[in-house]
Amino acid sequence: MDGTLLDSEPLWDIAMEDLALRHGIVMSPALRESTLGNSLPDAMSKVYAAAGIGPESQDRPGDERWLLDHVAGLFGAGLPWRPGAQDALELVRSSALPMVLVTNTVRELTDIALETLGPHRFTATVCGDEVAAGKPEPDLYLRAAALLGLRPDQCLAVEDSPAGTAAATAAGCPTLVVPSAAAVPGGSLRSFRESLVDLTADDLVDAWTGQHPAHRPTGRDMQG
């Protein structure tokens, strides 16, 4: 969602920079990049570590509530789309492929973003606070595939961040990577595209069959 479909990472930049200032530090570019695509607890842990705040001095519930309220206000002011994302969603929908929104963002913020994305476009949504561990762990993608009644290797993930790509490929999903705020390294199960602009059904098939070279999908072979 953040960075793949919606250009919301700049809003998270504001929120994370303000969280750092709240704890007396200025967020460096390296620290911000390290939090991209992270679950909320992991991102907060990195800010705490940079600020030298030990577990005994952390107010995780208070900081989490502050951050969620801050981001909700930023989201509510308007969420811009990533280039080509609206057309890509309509392409998948018109192709009758079931589609799951998989995001590290917690449910209460995802529901705000869905007002822009359109909940009708998705078969299901899976959020970071609905699994045991968020990205870069594979739990979110394993849950998404299970909701479709499919194996992960029958799905195609679309990701923009290093953490999200690691999660999808760890789950076993062939993954189309469209980097946004941070570079994503190459690796197994990964194919790359500069943007979602002019994405076609053949592009999706090629991204999936690139990981299944002996098998071109038909029907329910590629879903996700």
Side-chain angles (χ1 to χ4, degrees):
M1 184 177 78
D2 299 297
T4 302
L5 299 177
L6 298 174
D7 196 16
S8 45
E9 288 296 355
L11 302 181
W12 279 103
D13 285 346
I14 294 170
M16 294 304 296
E17 287 168 4
D18 289 347
L19 178 66
L21 289 173
R22 179 177 164 91
H23 291 293
I25 63 169
V26 174
M27 177 162 282
S28 68
L31 175 58
R32 176 59 186 131
E33 184 169 325
S34 76
T35 68
L36 289 173
N38 284 202
S39 65
L40 188 57
D42 286 347
M44 288 172 56
S45 292
K46 289 175 180 176
V47 172
Y48 286 143
I53 301 172
E56 70 286 349
S57 301
Q58 296 171 8
D59 177 15
R60 281 185 174 268
D63 281 337
E64 181 173 318
R65 185 69 264 159
W66 179 89
L67 190 58
L68 291 175
D69 289 343
H70 192 13
V71 175
L74 295 169
F75 276 20
L79 282 168
W81 288 86
R82 290 287 295 165
Q86 285 178 282
D87 289 342
L89 289 179
E90 285 305 309
L91 168 69
V92 176
R93 188 165 176 255
S94 67
S95 300
L97 289 170
M99 181 164 47
V100 179
L101 182 68
V102 178
T103 177
N104 252 351
T105 299
V106 299
R107 172 57 63 184
E108 68 177 273
L109 295 180
T110 300
D111 285 344
I112 296 173
L114 280 168
E115 295 174 11
T116 297
L117 291 169
H120 63 283
R121 290 185 165 118
F122 302 99
T123 306
T125 58
V126 187
C127 300
D129 55 342
E130 296 172 344
V131 294
K135 305 173 186 180
E137 300 303 318
D139 303 40
L140 283 162
Y141 278 103
L142 294 174
R143 174 65 176 156
L147 288 172
L148 294 175
L150 298 168
R151 302 187 313 270
D153 68 312
Q154 293 176 293
C155 304
L156 176 67
V158 183
E159 272 289 353
D160 73 290
S161 71
T165 302
T169 55
C173 299
T175 303
L176 177 60
V177 183
V178 186
S180 59
V184 178
S188 177
L189 296 177
R190 303 175 186 195
S191 56
F192 288 79
R193 184 181 175 89
E194 288 188 2
S195 82
L196 293 174
V197 174
D198 296 328
L199 185 75
T200 68
D202 283 344
D203 292 331
L204 295 175
V205 170
D206 288 344
W208 190 83
T209 54
Q211 310 304 327
H212 301 269
H215 184 65
R216 190 169 182 84
T218 57
R220 285 177 57 85
D221 283 340
M222 184 195 73
Q223 303 200 20

